[in-house]
Structures are given as structure tokens and as C-alpha cells.
């Protein structure tokens, strides 16, 4: 868990750097929906507002940031910011899939977290903003959840096949009667 905490802290630090602040300001100048949020933290607070969420604003802002992520040469900075914006959902998925990961000695908590982050960034690249203009966050997280389910389903099938092979190795006649 320490690696995950360190990763989140590093990403949060990255979006506080002067380089990101300049990038954020240039994006802010180009897009009226973000203009009223003078700091990246202010935008995060607005998007994480559970008491009075503005879903249309959230979708508009996420659309802008995803387009910027896909088109910017400094995509890693925007990717880090998207991780911060999606952090509650990503941590929720981590908690849901942590029990499944415990079935595999080869998968640590850090491995699971970084798999989630990798899949998340891949799913962000697949968002079809021309067709998907609403519920962007829930769609991304839903696809990520489905992808993780598929990933673990595949791992469980491989584990089951391995167990069956090991059982067959102990029974060389494969269940045939010995004459």
C-alpha cells in the first residue's frame, strides 16, 4: 500500500508543479467551461462535489481534458491530472478487486494498482467523445471495471487450467483402467 500512497502523492505533487500550472492556465484560457476555475485544485473540488454535482459541467470539463490529453505533447501531465480527477473511482475499483488479486501470489497490491492505472489510461484514449457526451466518468469507470473483470476471469481460467494440468501429472493413465 505504501507504493500506492507514494504514487498518488507523486501525481498530486506533479499537478502542483509550475509546468503543469502553466499548462492548466493555457487550457483554461482556451475553454470557457474551465475559465472560472483559477486553480487545478478548484476544478478538482468542483468535480468531486457530491452534495450538489453539476453533471453537465463535469461532462464538459472531462471532455475538454480528454481532448487535451489526446492532443497535447505534454499528455503525461494531463494524464496525471485525470488520475487525480478519477482518484475516488480508481480507489473504489482497487478496493473491489483487491480480494480477487489475493488469489494470486504473483499479484501484489501495487501490481493491481498499476494495472488499474494502465487500463484507465488506455480506456481514456478509447473514449469516443463524438458519440459520448454524457456520463463520461461513469462510462470510463464502468468500462474499466468490465476490463478488470475480464482480466481476472482470464487469470482464474489460467489458474484452473494449471491446477488441472498438475492433477493430470499425478495420474499418468488419465483415468484409464490399469490392465
Amino acid at each position: 500500500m505504501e507504493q500506492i500512497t507514494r504514487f498518488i502523492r507523486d501525481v498530486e505533487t506533479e499537478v502542483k508543479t509550475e509546468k503543469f500550472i502553466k499548462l492548466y492556465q493555457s487550457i483554461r484560457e482556451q475553454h470557457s467551461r474551465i475559465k472560472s476555475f483559477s486553480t487545478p485544485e478548484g476544478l478538482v473540488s468542483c468535480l468531486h462535489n457530491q452534495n450538489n454535482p453539476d453533471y453537465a459541467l463535469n461532462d464538459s470539463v472531462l471532455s475538454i481534458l480528454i481532448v487535451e490529453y489526446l492532443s497535447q505533447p505534454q499528455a503525461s501531465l494531463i494524464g496525471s491530472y485525470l488520475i487525480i480527477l478519477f482518484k475516488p473511482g480508481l480507489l473504489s475499483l482497487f478496493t473491489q478487486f483487491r480480494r480477487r488479486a489475493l488469489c494470486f501470489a504473483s499479484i501484489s497490491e501495487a501490481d493491481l494498482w498499476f494495472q488499474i492505472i494502465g487500463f484507465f489510461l488506455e480506456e481514456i484514449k478509447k473514449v469516443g467523445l463524438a458519440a459520448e457526451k454524457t456520463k463520461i466518468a461513469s462510462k470510463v469507470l464502468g468500462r474499466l471495471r468490465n476490463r478488470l473483470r475480464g482480466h481476472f476471469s482470464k487469470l482464474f481460467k489460467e489458474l484452473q487450467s494449471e491446477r488441472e494440468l498438475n492433477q493430470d501429472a499425478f495420474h499418468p493413465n488419465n483415468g484409464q483402467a490399469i490392465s
Side-chain angles (χ1 to χ4, degrees), residues 19-31 35 37-40:
K19 188 175 181 179
F20 179 77
I21 299 297
K22 286 180 182 178
L23 177 61
Y24 177 80
Q25 294 303 333
S26 71
I27 293 170
R28 196 173 151 247
E29 290 170 11
Q30 296 171 30
H31 303 282
K35 234 180 195 86
F37 303 101
S38 60
T39 66

Side-chain angles (χ1 to χ4, degrees), residues 42-68:
L43 183 58
V44 170
S45 294
C46 176
L47 294 180
H48 287 181
N49 180 355
Q50 295 295 315
N51 297 329
N52 191 18
D54 183 343
Y55 296 113
L57 175 66
N58 293 0
D59 287 330
S60 176
V61 167
L62 288 175
S63 294
I64 290 166
L65 292 172
I66 290 170
V67 167
E68 292 291 333

